[in-house]
Short mmCIF file of all heavy atoms in Angstrom, two decimals:
data_model
loop_
_atom_site.label_atom_id
_atom_site.label_comp_id
_atom_site.label_asym_id
_atom_site.label_seq_id
_atom_site.Cartn_x
_atom_site.Cartn_y
_atom_site.Cartn_z
N VAL A 1 -25.94 -78.95 -45.76
CA VAL A 1 -27.27 -78.92 -44.99
C VAL A 1 -27.09 -80.06 -43.91
O VAL A 1 -27.58 -79.72 -42.73
CB VAL A 1 -28.34 -79.36 -46.00
CG1 VAL A 1 -29.61 -79.72 -45.26
CG2 VAL A 1 -28.60 -78.19 -46.88
N VAL A 2 -26.50 -81.21 -44.15
CA VAL A 2 -26.29 -82.17 -43.14
C VAL A 2 -25.55 -81.50 -41.96
O VAL A 2 -25.94 -81.72 -40.83
CB VAL A 2 -25.64 -83.41 -43.81
CG1 VAL A 2 -25.30 -84.44 -42.55
CG2 VAL A 2 -26.51 -84.09 -44.72
N ALA A 3 -24.36 -80.93 -42.26
CA ALA A 3 -23.53 -80.36 -41.33
C ALA A 3 -24.22 -79.36 -40.42
O ALA A 3 -24.09 -79.31 -39.10
CB ALA A 3 -22.26 -79.83 -41.93
N VAL A 4 -25.04 -78.40 -41.05
CA VAL A 4 -25.78 -77.49 -40.37
C VAL A 4 -26.81 -78.18 -39.34
O VAL A 4 -26.88 -77.72 -38.23
CB VAL A 4 -26.51 -76.56 -41.26
CG1 VAL A 4 -27.46 -75.64 -40.45
CG2 VAL A 4 -25.37 -75.69 -42.03
N SER A 5 -27.40 -79.16 -39.93
CA SER A 5 -28.25 -79.95 -38.99
C SER A 5 -27.64 -80.48 -37.78
O SER A 5 -28.19 -80.48 -36.58
CB SER A 5 -29.00 -80.96 -39.75
OG SER A 5 -29.62 -80.55 -40.92
N LEU A 6 -26.50 -81.03 -37.96
CA LEU A 6 -25.77 -81.59 -36.76
C LEU A 6 -25.34 -80.53 -35.80
O LEU A 6 -25.54 -80.73 -34.57
CB LEU A 6 -24.53 -82.39 -37.28
CG LEU A 6 -24.70 -83.53 -38.09
CD1 LEU A 6 -23.53 -84.06 -38.72
CD2 LEU A 6 -25.55 -84.61 -37.27
N VAL A 7 -24.95 -79.37 -36.35
CA VAL A 7 -24.72 -78.31 -35.41
C VAL A 7 -25.89 -77.74 -34.58
O VAL A 7 -25.75 -77.37 -33.44
CB VAL A 7 -23.85 -77.16 -36.16
CG1 VAL A 7 -23.66 -75.85 -35.23
CG2 VAL A 7 -22.62 -77.57 -36.77
N LEU A 8 -26.94 -77.64 -35.28
CA LEU A 8 -28.13 -77.17 -34.69
C LEU A 8 -28.49 -78.12 -33.58
O LEU A 8 -29.16 -77.69 -32.52
CB LEU A 8 -29.43 -77.13 -35.78
CG LEU A 8 -29.50 -75.94 -36.54
CD1 LEU A 8 -30.51 -76.03 -37.70
CD2 LEU A 8 -29.84 -74.72 -35.72
N GLY A 9 -28.29 -79.43 -33.56
CA GLY A 9 -28.54 -80.26 -32.56
C GLY A 9 -27.80 -79.98 -31.26
O GLY A 9 -28.36 -79.95 -30.15
N VAL A 10 -26.57 -79.63 -31.43
CA VAL A 10 -25.85 -79.17 -30.23
C VAL A 10 -26.13 -77.89 -29.74
O VAL A 10 -26.43 -77.70 -28.55
CB VAL A 10 -24.28 -79.08 -30.77
CG1 VAL A 10 -23.39 -78.48 -29.58
CG2 VAL A 10 -23.80 -80.37 -31.23
N MET A 11 -26.57 -76.98 -30.62
CA MET A 11 -27.04 -75.54 -30.16
C MET A 11 -28.35 -75.72 -29.45
O MET A 11 -28.75 -74.86 -28.65
CB MET A 11 -27.15 -74.74 -31.30
CG MET A 11 -25.79 -74.46 -31.99
SD MET A 11 -24.41 -73.86 -30.86
CE MET A 11 -25.26 -72.26 -30.22
N PHE A 12 -29.11 -76.73 -29.91
CA PHE A 12 -30.41 -76.97 -29.27
C PHE A 12 -30.35 -77.31 -27.81
O PHE A 12 -31.17 -76.94 -27.01
CB PHE A 12 -31.27 -78.10 -30.13
CG PHE A 12 -32.49 -78.48 -29.52
CD1 PHE A 12 -33.61 -77.75 -29.49
CD2 PHE A 12 -32.47 -79.81 -29.15
CE1 PHE A 12 -34.70 -78.27 -28.96
CE2 PHE A 12 -33.70 -80.31 -28.59
CZ PHE A 12 -34.88 -79.42 -28.38
N VAL A 13 -29.38 -78.16 -27.52
CA VAL A 13 -29.40 -78.75 -26.06
C VAL A 13 -28.43 -77.95 -25.18
O VAL A 13 -28.65 -77.96 -24.04
CB VAL A 13 -28.93 -80.26 -26.28
CG1 VAL A 13 -28.70 -80.89 -24.80
CG2 VAL A 13 -29.91 -81.04 -26.98
N ILE A 14 -27.39 -77.26 -25.64
CA ILE A 14 -26.32 -76.80 -24.71
C ILE A 14 -26.86 -75.68 -23.76
O ILE A 14 -26.49 -75.60 -22.64
CB ILE A 14 -25.17 -76.15 -25.44
CG1 ILE A 14 -25.53 -74.99 -26.30
CG2 ILE A 14 -24.32 -77.20 -26.14
CD1 ILE A 14 -24.31 -74.32 -26.97
N PRO A 15 -28.06 -75.00 -24.24
CA PRO A 15 -28.52 -73.96 -23.13
C PRO A 15 -29.57 -74.51 -22.15
O PRO A 15 -30.21 -73.85 -21.40
CB PRO A 15 -29.15 -72.84 -24.00
CG PRO A 15 -29.65 -73.64 -25.23
CD PRO A 15 -28.70 -74.76 -25.47
N ILE A 16 -29.72 -75.79 -22.23
CA ILE A 16 -30.73 -76.41 -21.31
C ILE A 16 -30.07 -77.13 -20.16
O ILE A 16 -29.08 -77.89 -20.28
CB ILE A 16 -31.53 -77.49 -22.18
CG1 ILE A 16 -32.23 -76.84 -23.33
CG2 ILE A 16 -32.54 -78.18 -21.13
CD1 ILE A 16 -32.91 -77.80 -24.19
N GLY A 17 -30.54 -76.76 -18.97
CA GLY A 17 -29.90 -77.22 -17.68
C GLY A 17 -30.28 -78.78 -17.46
O GLY A 17 -31.12 -79.32 -17.97
N GLY A 18 -29.45 -79.45 -16.66
CA GLY A 18 -29.67 -80.88 -16.23
C GLY A 18 -31.03 -81.07 -15.55
O GLY A 18 -31.63 -82.11 -15.86
N GLY A 19 -31.43 -80.08 -14.91
CA GLY A 19 -32.82 -80.29 -14.35
C GLY A 19 -33.86 -80.43 -15.27
O GLY A 19 -35.01 -80.91 -14.93
N ASP A 20 -33.75 -79.92 -16.46
CA ASP A 20 -34.80 -80.04 -17.54
C ASP A 20 -34.71 -81.16 -18.39
O ASP A 20 -35.30 -81.29 -19.43
CB ASP A 20 -34.78 -78.71 -18.27
CG ASP A 20 -35.41 -77.51 -17.66
OD1 ASP A 20 -36.15 -77.68 -16.68
OD2 ASP A 20 -34.93 -76.38 -17.91
N MET A 21 -33.81 -82.10 -18.01
CA MET A 21 -33.59 -83.31 -18.94
C MET A 21 -34.78 -84.13 -19.03
O MET A 21 -35.00 -84.81 -20.14
CB MET A 21 -32.51 -84.15 -18.21
CG MET A 21 -31.11 -83.56 -18.56
SD MET A 21 -30.75 -83.48 -20.47
CE MET A 21 -30.47 -81.83 -20.55
N PRO A 22 -35.74 -84.26 -18.13
CA PRO A 22 -36.97 -85.07 -18.41
C PRO A 22 -37.70 -84.63 -19.56
O PRO A 22 -38.22 -85.30 -20.46
CB PRO A 22 -37.72 -85.03 -17.04
CG PRO A 22 -36.77 -84.58 -15.93
CD PRO A 22 -35.65 -83.88 -16.61
N VAL A 23 -37.80 -83.28 -19.74
CA VAL A 23 -38.43 -82.62 -20.76
C VAL A 23 -37.73 -82.78 -22.17
O VAL A 23 -38.31 -83.14 -23.20
CB VAL A 23 -38.76 -81.13 -20.59
CG1 VAL A 23 -39.50 -80.51 -21.82
CG2 VAL A 23 -39.65 -80.95 -19.34
N VAL A 24 -36.42 -82.59 -22.02
CA VAL A 24 -35.55 -82.67 -23.20
C VAL A 24 -35.52 -84.09 -23.73
O VAL A 24 -35.61 -84.40 -24.98
CB VAL A 24 -34.13 -82.29 -22.87
CG1 VAL A 24 -33.15 -82.55 -24.02
CG2 VAL A 24 -34.13 -80.80 -22.53
N ILE A 25 -35.38 -85.15 -22.88
CA ILE A 25 -35.42 -86.58 -23.35
C ILE A 25 -36.67 -86.94 -23.94
O ILE A 25 -36.76 -87.62 -25.09
CB ILE A 25 -35.07 -87.45 -22.13
CG1 ILE A 25 -33.56 -87.32 -21.69
CG2 ILE A 25 -35.30 -88.87 -22.43
CD1 ILE A 25 -33.09 -88.27 -20.64
N SER A 26 -37.72 -86.47 -23.35
CA SER A 26 -39.12 -86.69 -23.89
C SER A 26 -39.23 -86.06 -25.37
O SER A 26 -39.78 -86.79 -26.25
CB SER A 26 -40.22 -86.18 -23.05
OG SER A 26 -41.43 -86.45 -23.56
N LEU A 27 -38.81 -84.82 -25.44
CA LEU A 27 -38.83 -84.09 -26.71
C LEU A 27 -37.89 -84.82 -27.87
O LEU A 27 -38.34 -84.97 -28.91
CB LEU A 27 -38.39 -82.68 -26.62
CG LEU A 27 -38.61 -81.83 -27.89
CD1 LEU A 27 -39.98 -81.82 -28.35
CD2 LEU A 27 -38.13 -80.32 -27.47
N LEU A 28 -36.82 -85.11 -27.36
CA LEU A 28 -35.86 -85.89 -28.30
C LEU A 28 -36.40 -87.18 -28.75
O LEU A 28 -36.34 -87.65 -29.93
CB LEU A 28 -34.48 -85.97 -27.74
CG LEU A 28 -33.57 -84.68 -27.55
CD1 LEU A 28 -32.50 -84.94 -26.76
CD2 LEU A 28 -33.27 -84.17 -28.97
N ASN A 29 -37.04 -87.85 -27.90
CA ASN A 29 -37.80 -89.08 -28.25
C ASN A 29 -38.85 -88.85 -29.27
O ASN A 29 -38.93 -89.65 -30.24
CB ASN A 29 -38.31 -89.78 -26.95
CG ASN A 29 -39.09 -91.12 -27.29
OD1 ASN A 29 -38.42 -91.99 -27.89
ND2 ASN A 29 -40.32 -91.21 -26.90
N SER A 30 -39.57 -87.81 -29.12
CA SER A 30 -40.56 -87.45 -30.11
C SER A 30 -39.98 -87.22 -31.52
O SER A 30 -40.38 -87.58 -32.56
CB SER A 30 -41.53 -86.29 -29.63
OG SER A 30 -42.23 -85.80 -30.56
N LEU A 31 -38.89 -86.39 -31.45
CA LEU A 31 -38.21 -86.02 -32.63
C LEU A 31 -37.59 -87.28 -33.34
O LEU A 31 -37.51 -87.38 -34.58
CB LEU A 31 -37.07 -85.13 -32.34
CG LEU A 31 -37.44 -83.63 -31.93
CD1 LEU A 31 -36.18 -82.75 -31.62
CD2 LEU A 31 -38.34 -82.99 -33.04
N SER A 32 -37.08 -88.22 -32.62
CA SER A 32 -36.77 -89.52 -33.20
C SER A 32 -37.70 -90.25 -33.99
O SER A 32 -37.48 -90.68 -35.12
CB SER A 32 -36.02 -90.39 -32.19
OG SER A 32 -36.95 -91.01 -31.39
N GLY A 33 -38.99 -90.13 -33.38
CA GLY A 33 -40.12 -90.71 -34.11
C GLY A 33 -40.50 -89.90 -35.32
O GLY A 33 -40.66 -90.50 -36.38
N ILE A 34 -40.52 -88.64 -35.24
CA ILE A 34 -40.78 -87.92 -36.43
C ILE A 34 -39.77 -87.99 -37.59
O ILE A 34 -40.06 -88.18 -38.74
CB ILE A 34 -40.90 -86.36 -36.06
CG1 ILE A 34 -42.14 -86.15 -35.14
CG2 ILE A 34 -41.15 -85.45 -37.31
CD1 ILE A 34 -42.02 -84.71 -34.56
N ALA A 35 -38.55 -88.13 -37.18
CA ALA A 35 -37.36 -88.42 -38.22
C ALA A 35 -37.66 -89.98 -38.88
O ALA A 35 -37.41 -90.01 -40.07
CB ALA A 35 -36.03 -88.53 -37.44
N ALA A 36 -38.08 -90.79 -38.00
CA ALA A 36 -38.33 -92.15 -38.59
C ALA A 36 -39.59 -92.06 -39.51
O ALA A 36 -39.53 -92.66 -40.62
CB ALA A 36 -38.66 -93.20 -37.54
N ALA A 37 -40.60 -91.33 -39.25
CA ALA A 37 -41.84 -91.11 -40.11
C ALA A 37 -41.30 -90.42 -41.47
O ALA A 37 -41.75 -90.80 -42.64
CB ALA A 37 -42.84 -90.32 -39.53
N ALA A 38 -40.39 -89.37 -41.35
CA ALA A 38 -39.88 -88.79 -42.51
C ALA A 38 -39.04 -89.73 -43.36
O ALA A 38 -39.29 -89.79 -44.66
CB ALA A 38 -39.00 -87.47 -42.11
N ALA A 39 -38.32 -90.62 -42.69
CA ALA A 39 -37.62 -91.62 -43.53
C ALA A 39 -38.58 -92.59 -44.19
O ALA A 39 -38.21 -93.03 -45.36
CB ALA A 39 -36.58 -92.43 -42.49
#
């Protein structure tokens, strides 16, 4: 399950272009907070 989660992270970002990075960074920042809450 841990390995699949790591692969999903790669698959999540590779189809996103560099111009969309403001949105991606903001979303990943949100996900890091949600992960901390889960912890």
